[in-house]
Amino acid sequence: MFLAIPDDSIPDSMRAIYYGNAAEVFFQVGMVYYSATPPYNDLCNKYRREYMKYIIPGSIEWELLDAENFIYMENYGAAIATAVEVMERARL
């Protein structure tokens, strides 16, 4: 369903919600059909990157999304390092 909606048909005021929800949908589908994750993983990453354009760079939410990107790119060291930084900032 998300793939049938042209991105430019979504009002600017709703794009952050659209991209965030699309990323979550493809993440969940990928978890159900784990053996078929490459197309869903790629779509999840695409929509997450679009969503990140609407989040303040360097914010805790942005950093968490960045850590998720590292996980899906199988760069676990960077994901852990980013997650640790976020946890340390959140404690302050």
Side-chain angles (χ1 to χ4, degrees), residues 37-92:
T37 53
Y40 301 116
N41 190 21
D42 293 343
L43 288 166
C44 178
N45 290 338
K46 172 190 168 194
Y47 284 107
R48 187 181 311 101
R49 283 190 297 273
E50 289 299 320
Y51 177 54
M52 288 176 73
K53 293 177 183 178
Y54 295 87
I55 307 301
I56 298 169
S59 67
I60 289 176
E61 183 178 8
W62 195 91
E63 294 291 337
L64 286 172
L65 292 168
D66 200 33
E68 287 181 24
N69 282 335
F70 286 129
I71 289 170
Y72 297 121
M73 292 185 302
E74 298 181 4
N75 187 345
Y76 302 116
I80 291 169
T82 303
V84 168
E85 287 177 23
V86 168
M87 288 187 287
E88 287 174 351
R89 283 182 49 205
R91 276 193 315 195
L92 301 175

